[in-house]
Amino acid sequence: MPALRSLPPRAMAAAFDYLVLGGGSGGLASARRAAELGARVAVVEHQRLGGTCVNVGCVPKKVMWNTAVHFEFIHDHADYGFETPDVKFNWRVIKEKRDAYVSRLNGIYQNNLNKAHIETIHGHAAFTSDPEPTVEVNGKKYTAPHILIATGGRPSITHDSQIPGASLGITSDGFFELEELPRRSVIVGAGYIAVEIAGILSTLGSKTSLLIRYDKVLRTFDSMISANCTQELENAGIEVWKHSLVKSVTKSPLGLLEVTVMSTAPGHKPTVSTIPDVDCLLWATGRDPNTEGLNLDKLGLKLDAKGHIVVDEFQNTSRKGIYAVGDVCGKALLTPVAIAAGRKLAHRLFEGKQDSKLDYSNIPTVVFSHPPIGTVGLTEEEAISAYGRENVKIYTTSFTPMYHAVTQRKTKCVMKLVCAGKEEKVVGLHMQGLGCDEMLQGFAVAIKMGATKASFDETVAIHPTSAEELVTLR
């Protein structure tokens, strides 16, 4: 032992070429690409592999959205001539199948790491005060000349000190633990997570209220989408409580919640109401970065006011040899963004591609609302700010998709092209309607390539589809 003690601290740490903190989408993508390029890589993760997306995000959410879409179609069966008496929905069946699917994915991720000869270290990583950046996991030290922080984010927690009884509610993580469909749901928030969960619960038969601070949901989206989505939620039977805040939450002896709400519409006096018999109160009021417990102060890393790690365009932090990708950076919180940024970084570090970085412009994104939303590029407001009102031309359309020609239930499809300059370059595309989720990817390629309105006009329409409307706008 004395000989071991005389060694410098660095020699006591297991050394790799690349140390990745976080086994989510961004971390795994970067680790595997680095290993392909010949690096010795280790991934540190204290939970299941796959991160938010696979375990409590996009993947199980999409399964539940698909379930809800099934139920919508069942409502339309009679209009299409099908008799479907006594259709019953069993939440537990889909929960078990969904959980099994996620579990399979966890195993696939582990197999992929094993095949790539990437070491998996289970536990919490914390930076030490060693002179060279080093992390400690379960009492053992690890170091590398390149360390990636890809620890992701988590739902923001509303504490009882902020709102009495807030802890009686759950977050989006808790949504995936529900064993039964709630009879009465209250969702707090106006972002895409609140919109998606409210839509799923309501469509599957839970009486649902959505509490929002202002008068519309998705306020960072194009104004057309924000207004239309709010309207579609209301049309679907969701109670949208506008200009509303939760004041307190209490629990009855029967275990049900009573949510006290204060609503303050502009020009009116505040009113206080209660929502009784709530068996699911869900807070969807934002997400926080997973930076606590990492001891980032030991590195002197620059963080923003919310605790996100500040990075440059190449994902460099303020400390040489330390990088960050994904939700922990607080920019474009989307799985494919973290994956793309992580891979670009691996090519820069281990293949010598010095200019390898992700272009964060024109990132397409979908909200799995009912009906779904697809959006890429600048909103109308952003385009006017960037190019000037006189240099921006807007093309819009609103129609009822042909699917609804024979159904009593109706949803709208709205579309907008935002064009800039004399050549009318398409700088933004926004739509909500049946099929818009699958429609967007191809149009996003065209916009990324610099398509103009003329490019769209010169493309022959596919009839009869909703997508053809985008190439026939006048």
Side-chain angles (χ1 to χ4, degrees), residues 62 110 181 183 283 319 375 428 441 460:
K62 185 72 182 286
Q110 186 63 67
L181 173 70
R183 293 166 67 93
W283 303 97
R319 176 78 181 258
T375 174
Q441 190 77 71
V460 174

Side-chain angles (χ1 to χ4, degrees), residues 55-72:
N55 296 295
V56 287
C58 4
V59 170
K61 178 271 302 287
K62 185 72 182 286
V63 172
M64 297 312 290
W65 183 80
N66 286 339
T67 307
V69 168
H70 257 283
F71 213 22
E72 288 180 309

Side-chain angles (χ1 to χ4, degrees), residues 90 213 302 332 410 451:
N90 188 328
R213 280 189 299 173
K302 193 175 174 188
K410 308 284 186 197

Side-chain angles (χ1 to χ4, degrees), residues 293-305:
L294 287 174
N295 291 351
L296 296 183
D297 52 316
K298 299 272 172 75
L299 298 174
L301 285 197
K302 193 175 174 188
L303 307 178
D304 71 9

Side-chain angles (χ1 to χ4, degrees), residues 119-377:
E119 185 167 330
T120 310
I121 302 163
H122 295 283
H124 274 278
F127 284 95
T128 66
S129 48
D130 289 84
E132 293 297 321
T134 303
V135 299
E136 190 172 305
V137 187
N138 302 328
K140 189 172 179 187
K141 289 184 177 182
Y142 302 88
T143 188
H146 303 291
I147 299 178
L148 173 63
I149 302 171
T151 47
R154 63 184 186 278
S156 303
I157 303 291
T158 305
H159 297 284
D160 290 341
S161 57
Q162 299 164 287
I163 298 172
S167 62
L168 295 167
I170 60 173
T171 64
S172 58
D173 287 1
F175 170 75
F176 297 108
E177 294 172 13
L178 292 173
E179 294 291 342
E180 300 283 354
L181 173 70
R183 293 166 67 93
R184 184 71 174 94
S185 303
V186 173
I187 314 297
V188 184
Y192 79 94
I193 295 171
V195 165
E196 290 179 338
I197 291 178
I200 290 166
L201 288 172
S202 173
T203 304
L204 291 176
S206 180
K207 182 170 167 51
T208 304
S209 298
L210 180 63
L211 274 53
I212 62 177
R213 280 189 299 173
Y214 299 97
D215 64 337
K216 293 182 183 70
V217 297
L218 305 179
R219 291 171 60 248
T220 59
F221 285 65
D222 187 88
S223 56
M224 177 193 75
I225 295 296
S226 181
N228 191 71
C229 184
T230 306
Q231 188 62 58
E232 287 287 5
L233 288 166
E234 293 179 318
N235 292 350
I238 294 171
E239 286 181 354
V240 180
W241 291 55
K242 299 170 184 177
H243 305 287
S244 296
L245 296 168
V246 176
K247 297 307 289 178
S248 65
V249 186
T250 56
K251 192 172 194 175
S252 75
L254 294 173
L256 295 174
L257 305 181
E258 186 171 275
V259 182
T260 302
V261 183
M262 185 168 77
S263 303
T264 316
H268 293 77
K269 285 184 177 176
T271 58
V272 176
S273 316
T274 57
I275 307 175
D277 303 329
V278 174
D279 52 352
C280 177
L281 167 64
L282 190 146
W283 303 97
T285 50
R287 291 183 66 80
D288 298 326
N290 280 327
T291 48
E292 288 174 18
L294 287 174
N295 291 351
L296 296 183
D297 52 316
K298 299 272 172 75
L299 298 174
L301 285 197
K302 193 175 174 188
L303 307 178
D304 71 9
K306 291 189 173 178
H308 297 110
I309 298 173
V310 176
V311 292
D312 66 10
E313 59 187 336
F314 290 97
Q315 311 298 146
N316 297 312
T317 68
S318 55
R319 176 78 181 258
K320 191 177 180 343
I322 308 287
Y323 318 92
V325 301
D327 290 8
V328 79
C329 305
K331 184 180 178 185
L333 312 184
L334 299 163
T335 294
V337 170
I339 290 170
R343 286 176 179 161
K344 293 277 189 187
L345 176 63
H347 283 287
R348 181 167 72 83
L349 299 179
F350 301 106
E351 201 180 27
K353 290 189 173 177
Q354 293 308 309
D355 297 328
S356 180
K357 64 176 181 181
L358 178 62
D359 175 7
Y360 279 82
S361 67
N362 290 322
I363 293 169
T365 183
V366 161
V367 178
F368 288 99
S369 48
H370 298 265
I373 290 164
T375 174
V376 61

